[in-house]
Amino acid sequence: MNPCLQDEVRQAFAEFRLLSWGGQELTPDEEVDFMRLLPHDASAPPEKAYGPLGVEGVDADKYRRWRIPARKEILLQGEGDVPEHYGIPSGLLNSGKPVREWHTDGLYEQATPSIATSMYSISIKPVGGDTLFMDARDIYDRLDDDEREFFECASARYSRIPLSMAESGYRALYEGELAAVNNTGGLYASAAKTRGANDPPSTTHPAVWTLPDGDRRKALIVAPMWVASLVTKDGPVAHDDLHYKLERSLSKGEHSQVTHKWHVGDFV
């Protein structure tokens, strides 16, 4: 990248949070070098710079199979037939997940949410495959006073074992719905089977974060599929009540929703 443009890229990311270029031909090294222009934890080991990592003995091997050997920051994700790519053998990449899942990448495994995530398209499906984006700052701004009070001091405890999701993608199924349906898909199936009362916590995070760059706006950053429990200043929140509030609050982000229709060579 032209050094004269680096500050402009940082400023554009801080303001808009979603940047897109078409028709790119990027090597893994070029992708990582670009992302290092943006705010990041330089001390994080490469294999923890991006998730999912999975659970050893459950699904970690499935994720390692799609990580670029020489660039552990990069993990292939998506749906469909994937050609050989920088040391990753060709194969069918398929989560089998038939529902939407609103999330922030890496939130349920990493010490902090990812400040920036890149996606580079090397192949596309003939039908479907769009990615939907919403602005978590806009979600926070649209919360009413009661919702802000609820989330402002809340801590979310995450598990690496997924919950079945409602069609909206904003909440897990309620307790009365859980027994009849498990829709986490084939990739998560082995992890879902291990769910129990004594699931070890993966990470614990605040529900509201102040972003580290730009105008330092607050954002509601949660991943409903992976929330094991949430504790507010008034104590733990029951599962159904929590996920009702998540769906009600996160759906307010649809005002900012952007749909990206992928083409080979897109860098987002």
Side-chain angles (χ1 to χ4, degrees):
M1 173 179 286
N2 185 329
C4 296
L5 298 178
Q6 292 180 9
D7 286 342
E8 293 185 27
V9 168
R10 294 188 189 101
Q11 291 170 8
F13 177 74
E15 180 177 355
F16 300 109
R17 286 298 182 216
L18 180 62
L19 306 178
S20 175
W21 293 264
Q24 302 300 300
E25 295 183 4
L26 298 177
T27 66
D29 287 346
E30 289 172 332
E31 185 175 355
V32 172
D33 287 345
F34 179 91
M35 294 305 292
R36 286 178 175 166
L37 296 174
L38 302 177
H40 66 284
D41 180 0
S43 67
E47 64 273 15
K48 291 195 174 180
Y50 188 75
L53 302 174
V55 178
E56 291 297 337
V58 180
D59 56 359
D61 287 344
K62 295 180 180 179
Y63 292 107
R64 273 193 290 264
R65 183 258 186 266
W66 294 104
R67 195 176 293 277
I68 293 179
R71 287 259 62 131
K72 293 182 179 179
E73 300 95 329
I74 299 179
L75 177 74
L76 270 61
Q77 291 189 278
E79 301 284 336
D81 291 314
V82 180
E84 189 279 334
H85 187 69
Y86 289 95
I88 296 180
S90 62
L92 177 64
L93 184 55
N94 177 23
S95 73
K97 183 172 56 182
V99 292
R100 295 181 179 183
E101 178 208 346
W102 167 251
H103 68 284
T104 297
D105 280 332
L107 179 64
Y108 39 86
E109 292 183 314
Q110 296 174 341
T112 61
S114 300
I115 298 171
T117 297
S118 65
M119 290 177 281
Y120 174 53
S121 175
I122 62 171
S123 67
I124 60 173
K125 295 176 65 176
V127 178
D130 298 348
T131 300
L132 308 182
F133 296 93
M134 297 194 306
D135 191 335
R137 304 169 302 176
D138 185 71
I139 294 172
Y140 178 83
D141 289 345
R142 290 175 178 275
L143 298 179
D144 62 32
D145 290 343
D146 288 342
E147 290 165 335
R148 287 191 186 180
E149 183 178 1
F150 177 82
F151 286 114
E152 192 70 55
C153 297
S155 293
R157 172 186 171 272
Y158 290 94
S159 170
R160 195 53 191 79
I161 300 172
L163 295 168
S164 291
M165 296 296 290
E167 185 177 356
S168 69
Y170 300 135
R171 68 165 176 89
L173 297 179
Y174 295 138
E175 293 286 359
E177 301 171 303
L178 288 176
V181 181
N182 186 302
N183 59 14
T184 53
L187 182 60
Y188 300 146
S190 52
K193 289 178 182 178
T194 66
R195 174 170 294 283
N198 298 314
D199 295 339
S202 176
T203 58
T204 300
H205 292 310
V208 174
W209 291 77
T210 300
L211 300 184
D213 61 341
D215 52 11
R216 296 185 61 80
R217 287 168 62 186
K218 289 185 176 181
L220 178 62
I221 299 179
V222 289
M225 177 179 271
W226 311 95
V227 174
S229 61
L230 186 134
V231 178
T232 70
K233 61 183 179 59
D234 297 319
V237 182
H239 174 93
D240 285 5
D241 189 30
L242 164 61
H243 284 275
Y244 168 79
K245 285 180 165 53
L246 286 175
E247 183 169 48
R248 175 184 169 89
S249 300
L250 293 176
S251 63
K252 296 182 178 185
E254 291 178 1
H255 175 82
S256 67
Q257 183 173 292
V258 173
T259 300
H260 184 82
K261 296 183 179 296
W262 290 95
H263 299 85
V264 173
D266 283 356
F267 179 57
V268 177

